[in-house]
Amino acid sequence: MARVLLPTSQPFYDAAKSFVERCLRQDRSLFTPGVAIWTKDNLDELHRRFNSSPDESGDSFEHKFQRQLAGATPEIYQLAGELIYVHLLIATGNIGGGAKRTLIHRVLGWSPRGVAIPKELDAALDTGLARVGTAFLTYRPFQLWFLIDFARAWKGLPTAEQERLLADPWAFKAMVFALPISRAYAQREALLHIVYPDTFEAIVSREHKREYANLFRDLIATPSGDVDRDLKQIRTVLDARYGPGHGLYAIRDGNVNPLPPAGPLPRSLGTALKPYVRLIALLDEPSYTPTQIVERFGRVSPPIANLAAPPDPDALVGDLLRLRLLESLAPDGTYRRWAHLNSAIESQVLRYAALTLLVPLGDGSHELPALRAPLDGDPHPAAACPYPDVLLPWYAEAGLARQIEDGRWQASPDALSPMTATNDCARALNTFLGYLTHARAGQAELPPITDDALPPLDPTVLDERIAEIQRELLIDRSTILRIYRALVSGNHVILSGPPGTGKTHLAKLLPRVLWRDAEPVLQLTLTTDPRRSPTDPPTERQVFRDGYVAEVVTATEDWGVRNVIGGIVPQLVRDGDRRALAYQIRHGYLTRAVLSNYTGYDGVAPPATFQRQEVQDGTARCRGRWLVIDEFTRAPIDAAFGSLLTTLGGQRSPLAVPTDDGEVQVPLPRDFRIIGTLNSFDRHFLNQISEAMKRRFTFIDVLPPGLALADAERGAAATRALRSLNAQGLLDITEDTAEGRLIWEDVVTITRAEHAEGEAPSYTLDWDDADGKAALDSFWRIFGAIRVYRKLGTAQAETMCSALFSGHMIGMSWAEALDSGLADTLADQLQVIARDEQRVLLAYLDQAGNPERFVERVRQILGGLPAARQIAHLTHLQSADHHPGSDVIDDIDATKLSKDQLGRIFTLDSPLTISGRGLFAQRLRSFVGERGL
């Protein structure tokens, strides 16, 4: 049942019952029993004052509500206070009992007649059941309007109809959901649980209900299209597994232990198999509801199973589905016997059900025990059979196995042989046996992990994997090859470069993708969905391991040997009600990463032997684990790593790991690597690395995408920005991943096209908003100019796109959104460039559409510089000119700068959307006029 069975929740359910009995079945008061408060007339008056006379001023809810109730009778004030009590009853999280009481007391205090919350109802205010968000409180008027509308509609019903709705939860829901509603969906969900706590979950978010229904979808025997009916089916299964009264969130998070197993096999009709087989033989009608199946069972005389009470309809249907005896006729919620069982005899169906039986697993999926049962005709101990205590008696009942004299079990020689009969059941079973035999013979497994060197990749595979990385990150091929060369040569790597170039993402992605298994193992997978027929053909599943999963840690200035290797740390130990400070060994980041590659490591002590194992990352299987250290030089690396110089030097020296009994020498896996990332902009602010430590790493620059990837970068940044804003709920996009198309309606459509391996994807932006196109084009021109002096990464461009798009969404003009976005997201990163570089950027903002004037202004800026600084600036410009041909920029004389030369670096064909007088330009001018922070 959906009721939450905690000691603290009982006051809630007592208050909910009082509301139903006093306020819905009668017209009485919650707070003063015997007084008529929840009457049709009182509700109509409150509706007139509140619903029909909204106060649209900017005052608080309380001030507006007080004005709306001014001059009302004491009964109306009391009704308003009780209404707020019902509104707040279920809420927890963003509002506590104290705040609830304050609001209720304040409303009641406006009345000339004093009323207090009864003690038993007051206690319920501290024990809300559902965490509510900000919207629940922000939209309080809408929630109260809905409660009033519900109560008025309820009071307009005949007494007989009210009683019918209070006896049928689904009829009650239909009545509630037929009412008009706006921004009060949480209150509607709360009302369902208040009135029917055993049927409807204590969840007030429609989205959360859908998430739970999707999370536990494998427990839904028959999808109904109604999330509450689906959750009811899920609840039936979970209550049997965990016991009643646990919140779905607690089960989801693993905070509830399953009940001691009563056995995974069906139990709704007892422990024998025959009652299920005999019941299914009686279901001759075209369709049955679960209740009708139970009724049909009850009419059998003599009974086919001796039960103390009728079985639960949903539990019985679930058992029959897992026995593959019942076909679901979704979406109408009815069932029928599988057609291939219509002409079967009992012995055939017993054999069929025992072999095709599915057993639910703890994660909502199912397994087919016949895949691993010892049905080879040889004697086996009972423990060799899955679920031996319950499954072997069923195999014996079906004639598939018998217990021999020494206590072992032996399958019949023909257990998996085709049947000679020719009816539909025999043909269905023979089809299944063909699949089963093939699948049992083909349960190939991946080879074990051994401690070998990092393998070089086949050139064709390497090309494919590099292309895969480039589809996610705009990193040029040569950079990836350099990293691969260093790693496969046995070196650890430092990825250096400007912020936002994807260094950390690359450090995680590259080892996982490059060393993924090249040749997956094919396994046949028989259907384990109880809603599908066992005669459905199996699917081929590729089983493979990913490469190396990265353990990512961020270096800090207080790092020492204890953080990297481990050491003694204080630990607060609890012994009953007492607490004591103890000291114990805790492993550092490197030690944990290394030891996780060995079987038997529990996170506390090294294993006795060092046998390699694969590493699990969620559901993915990986070859091993590497360590990625982000912001490498923020730590005093030589102090933290100094003792590892020999270990990291490639001489196969072991890692000395501290334990309670002294140091243990742990061999470094031959394929283990450390990848660090380093922000090149901050290098001079951070810790230095000694030459000895530098020799243990290969340093490789990861730079912003070059000209060849410029179009891909622009499309990727816009796409990621739109996805991010969509996830935040700020705008709505439509995405067709199969077609590679993302649509922001009435603004832009972005289409992504894949190309041959080794080429980055291309993007086409089709604009419906010309001003938006002009703003984004201007941004990329400005961003390109900034990159002449500061190599910002794609992440900064994505952030700026988000600012541009979100500014438009909140009502800014495109030009205002661009200007303010540049000022807020990029300007501070330009404070560190030279003043003459800032002045050139200002000139570009003003003169981007006037090449002659821009060239003249740049000459003036550079001409006033000292010779050394002028040469440095000209060198920047020369480096940024990627296609000079014979027209190379003179790196000594600024007066020789030409329009063609600067036009190759700065796009000078038209004015920008913003000018040199906006917010961004003001920030730049403030930098020009100051000496630094």
Side-chain angles (χ1 to χ4, degrees):
M1 60 182 175
R3 185 186 297 255
V4 179
L5 297 181
L6 295 174
T8 56
S9 63
Q10 192 54 46
F12 169 89
Y13 291 113
D14 291 342
K17 183 177 180 181
S18 296
F19 170 69
V20 172
E21 296 301 322
R22 298 176 190 175
C23 306
L24 298 188
R25 276 202 162 94
Q26 305 176 63
D27 293 341
R28 304 303 180 184
S29 164
L30 258 182
F31 295 167
T32 54
V35 178
I37 293 294
W38 286 74
T39 66
K40 180 71 163 58
D41 289 344
N42 286 346
L43 287 162
D44 286 345
E45 174 62 12
L46 183 58
H47 183 274
R48 182 188 68 80
R49 289 175 169 273
F50 184 51
N51 297 45
S52 299
S53 306
D55 187 332
E56 298 179 355
S57 70
D59 292 341
S60 68
F61 165 77
E62 292 177 30
H63 285 109
K64 293 190 288 187
F65 198 37
Q66 185 175 16
R67 286 197 295 265
Q68 290 167 310
L69 296 181
T73 63
E75 290 78 11
I76 301 302
Y77 280 112
Q78 184 170 340
L79 176 60
E82 294 186 8
L83 186 79
I84 291 177
Y85 178 92
V86 175
H87 158 60
L88 296 175
L89 181 59
I90 202 170
T92 187
N94 280 351
I95 185 169
K100 295 179 187 178
R101 289 186 189 90
T102 298
L103 178 57
I104 297 168
H105 286 150
R106 186 164 294 146
V107 173
L108 294 175
W110 298 335
S111 171
R113 184 171 66 200
V115 175
I117 306 172
K119 183 178 180 181
E120 67 276 9
L121 295 181
D122 182 80
L125 294 174
D126 294 316
T127 58
L129 300 181
R131 299 190 68 85
V132 297
T134 304
F136 184 84
L137 308 179
T138 304
Y139 293 150
R140 178 169 292 145
F142 298 92
Q143 320 277 0
L144 297 177
W145 288 342
F146 177 77
L147 277 178
I148 294 170
D149 286 341
F150 159 73
R152 292 178 71 229
W154 181 264
K155 297 301 178 179
L157 297 173
T159 302
E161 178 63 6
Q162 291 179 352
E163 289 301 321
R164 184 184 78 84
L165 296 178
L166 290 177
D168 184 344
W170 306 110
F172 178 80
K173 177 182 176 179
M175 178 264 174
V176 172
F177 274 54
L179 298 172
I181 191 168
S182 174
R183 285 174 277 188
Y185 300 104
Q187 190 66 71
R188 186 171 68 180
E189 301 295 338
L191 184 61
L192 293 180
H193 188 71
I194 289 171
V195 178
Y196 278 104
D198 294 332
T199 302
F200 300 104
E201 295 292 332
I203 301 172
V204 298
S205 165
R206 295 178 298 163
E207 182 59 33
H208 288 175
K209 283 190 172 184
R210 288 191 288 266
E211 288 176 2
Y212 283 121
N214 182 60
L215 177 65
F216 297 110
R217 61 187 178 277
D218 290 333
L219 305 184
I220 303 172
T222 308
S224 65
D226 181 329
V227 69
D228 289 305
R229 289 183 184 272
D230 289 347
L231 289 173
K232 184 71 166 61
Q233 295 183 60
I234 290 169
R235 174 59 69 179
T236 299
V237 178
L238 292 179
D239 283 356
R241 187 177 297 169
Y242 296 96
H246 300 291
L248 294 180
Y249 64 90
I251 296 173
R252 175 200 63 191
D253 295 340
N255 296 326
V256 182
N257 294 321
L259 294 172
L265 298 185
R267 286 293 181 265
S268 56
L269 297 184
T271 59
L273 180 56
K274 283 183 181 177
Y276 302 94
V277 172
R278 291 175 177 173
L279 173 61
I280 208 69
L282 300 173
L283 301 182
D284 294 324
E285 298 298 328
S287 65
Y288 293 85
T289 65
T291 301
Q292 288 171 338
I293 293 176
V294 173
E295 291 172 350
R296 182 67 185 91
F297 167 79
R299 293 198 301 271
V300 179
S301 181
I304 57 178
N306 294 315
L307 303 178
D312 179 83
D314 290 331
L316 177 58
V317 165
D319 286 347
L320 294 173
L321 285 168
R322 286 185 285 275
L323 283 163
R324 323 300 279 276
L325 300 173
L326 206 60
E327 179 184 9
S328 169
L329 301 178
D332 66 355
T334 61
Y335 304 85
R336 69 182 176 196
R337 180 176 62 208
W338 280 107
H340 53 252
L341 300 178
N342 289 342
S343 60
I345 60 176
E346 185 174 285
S347 61
Q348 292 174 334
V349 184
L350 283 169
R351 185 183 180 96
Y352 164 93
L355 287 171
T356 65
L357 164 73
L358 297 175
V359 174
L361 301 176
D363 60 359
S365 62
H366 294 77
E367 77 156 326
L368 182 69
L371 269 175
R372 56 190 183 96
L375 298 174
D376 52 9
D378 296 329
H380 292 276
C385 182
Y387 318 106
D389 295 338
V390 286
L391 190 56
L392 285 173
W394 279 31
Y395 282 173
E397 195 175 352
L400 294 170
R402 65 185 180 91
Q403 190 171 21
I404 56 181
E405 292 180 358
D406 61 1
R408 292 184 296 171
W409 284 79
Q410 185 175 28
S412 302
D414 62 349
L416 299 181
S417 299
M419 301 186 74
T420 57
T422 59
N423 60 14
D424 290 342
C425 180
R427 282 192 289 269
L429 182 55
N430 288 344
T431 299
F432 169 77
L433 286 172
Y435 297 149
L436 178 66
T437 302
H438 193 22
R440 283 169 61 95
Q443 293 301 300
E445 191 44 80
L446 294 170
I449 298 292
T450 55
D451 191 26
D452 296 323
L454 191 64
L457 303 178
D458 177 271
T460 302
V461 173
L462 178 61
D463 287 343
E464 293 172 353
R465 301 294 167 79
I466 290 176
E468 182 177 342
I469 293 171
Q470 288 183 308
R471 284 194 288 272
E472 187 163 341
L473 285 172
L474 298 175
I475 307 292
D476 66 87
R477 173 183 169 80
S478 64
T479 300
I480 298 174
L481 278 174
R482 290 163 59 202
I483 298 169
Y484 166 72
R485 177 184 63 186
L487 294 171
V488 82
S489 299
N491 298 320
H492 307 286
V493 171
I494 299 293
L495 303 180
S496 174
T501 54
K503 299 182 295 295
T504 305
H505 193 168
L506 180 62
K508 294 187 294 182
L509 184 66
L510 183 142
R512 187 159 192 153
V513 170
L514 286 189
W515 282 281
R516 184 191 304 128
D517 286 349
E519 297 182 0
V521 172
L522 287 178
Q523 288 185 349
L524 278 183
T525 303
L526 274 67
T527 176
T528 55
D529 184 341
R531 294 164 293 187
R532 293 176 57 189
S533 169
T535 61
D536 285 356
T539 57
E540 286 188 343
R541 183 170 68 99
Q542 289 189 336
V543 181
F544 62 88
R545 292 189 184 101
D546 278 346
Y548 299 89
V549 60
E551 181 76 21
V552 182
V553 297
T554 302
T556 62
E557 61 183 12
D558 59 351
W559 264 24
V561 173
R562 282 192 305 180
N563 301 93
V564 178
I565 305 300
I568 298 175
V569 296
Q571 179 75 25
L572 192 63
V573 178
R574 297 186 180 186
D575 182 10
D577 294 333
R578 295 186 305 168
R579 300 180 181 180
L581 189 64
Y583 291 86
Q584 63 183 31
I585 297 292
R586 180 181 297 169
H587 293 155
Y589 298 121
L590 176 61
T591 299
R592 289 201 297 268
V594 167
L595 286 175
S596 67
N597 291 284
Y598 292 117
T599 301
Y601 178 54
D602 59 2
V604 178
T609 60
F610 298 104
Q611 178 67 42
R612 286 294 301 275
Q613 66 172 359
E614 67 178 29
V615 173
Q616 290 289 137
D617 182 36
T619 59
R621 303 166 65 176
C622 301
R623 294 175 61 91
R625 190 184 308 277
W626 288 3
L627 181 65
V628 170
I629 303 177
D630 211 13
E631 303 292 348
F632 194 73
T633 51
R634 291 193 182 277
I637 292 300
D638 281 273
F641 277 75
S643 61
L644 296 173
L645 284 175
T646 304
T647 302
L648 299 180
Q651 291 86 18
R652 297 285 294 156
S653 298
L655 181 68
V657 173
T659 71
D660 291 336
D661 300 319
E663 289 187 345
V664 171
Q665 301 300 312
V666 177
L668 207 64
R670 295 180 65 194
D671 57 354
F672 178 80
R673 299 290 185 272
I674 298 172
I675 301 179
T677 70
L678 188 154
N679 180 351
S680 58
F681 280 7
D682 296 338
R683 183 177 292 178
H684 56 292
F685 293 118
L686 305 177
N687 295 284
Q688 301 300 308
I689 306 175
S690 68
E691 294 302 317
M693 184 61 71
K694 284 180 181 179
R695 286 194 293 106
R696 271 61 183 176
F697 292 89
T698 299
F699 288 75
I700 298 173
D701 281 338
V702 179
L703 300 175
L707 289 178
L709 296 174
D711 289 340
E713 180 185 28
R714 296 179 183 189
T719 298
R720 292 170 188 165
L722 288 174
R723 285 175 179 160
S724 175
L725 294 174
N726 181 67
Q728 297 295 328
L730 190 59
L731 52 79
D732 290 320
I733 63 171
T734 303
E735 188 163 10
D736 184 340
T737 53
E739 296 292 330
R741 185 176 297 114
L742 182 148
I743 302 171
W744 182 10
E745 193 171 4
D746 297 327
V747 181
V748 66
T749 297
I750 303 177
T751 305
R752 170 179 167 140
E754 301 290 347
H755 297 295
E757 290 175 1
E759 295 184 32
S762 62
Y763 293 82
T764 302
L765 277 67
D766 295 316
W767 286 88
D768 297 314
D769 188 318
D771 292 338
K773 179 181 186 305
L776 189 63
D777 288 346
S778 288
F779 161 67
W780 282 109
R781 291 171 62 190
I782 295 168
F783 197 64
I786 291 171
R787 276 180 165 173
V788 172
Y789 305 111
R790 192 156 175 82
K791 302 293 185 184
L792 299 179
T794 306
Q796 281 89 340
E798 182 182 333
T799 300
M800 181 56 220
C801 287
S802 293
L804 176 64
F805 299 152
S806 59
H808 171 70
M809 282 300 300
I810 65 171
M812 292 181 176
S813 69
W814 283 106
E816 182 185 5
L818 174 60
D819 189 31
S820 59
L822 288 166
D824 298 341
T825 65
L826 292 187
D828 275 342
Q829 299 187 52
L830 304 180
Q831 191 171 13
V832 296
I833 66 175
R835 293 182 187 177
D836 48 290
E837 295 168 346
Q838 294 166 348
R839 293 167 67 194
V840 169
L841 292 178
L842 282 167
Y844 184 63
L845 293 178
D846 266 331
Q847 308 298 337
N850 189 336
E852 291 79 8
R853 180 66 184 125
F854 177 69
V855 172
E856 178 185 347
R857 185 73 187 104
V858 172
R859 288 173 180 168
Q860 291 175 350
I861 294 169
L862 271 61
L865 298 175
R869 179 58 210 158
Q870 182 179 140
I871 292 171
H873 195 137
L874 287 168
T875 301
H876 265 308
L877 296 178
Q878 190 181 78
S879 299
D881 187 0
H882 297 290
H883 301 289
S886 59
D887 185 23
V888 179
I889 293 176
D890 190 305
D891 60 1
I892 297 177
D893 188 355
T895 62
K896 295 181 179 179
L897 282 172
S898 69
K899 181 175 68 173
D900 289 341
Q901 290 173 336
L902 290 181
R904 293 194 297 265
I905 302 170
F906 303 89
T907 306
L908 300 172
D909 55 1
S910 61
L912 298 167
T913 301
I914 62 173
S915 70
R917 291 174 295 280
L919 289 173
F920 179 53
Q922 290 175 25
R923 295 295 306 278
L924 288 180
R925 286 195 180 89
S926 71
F927 300 153
V928 171
E930 67 184 18
R931 286 192 165 273
L933 288 173

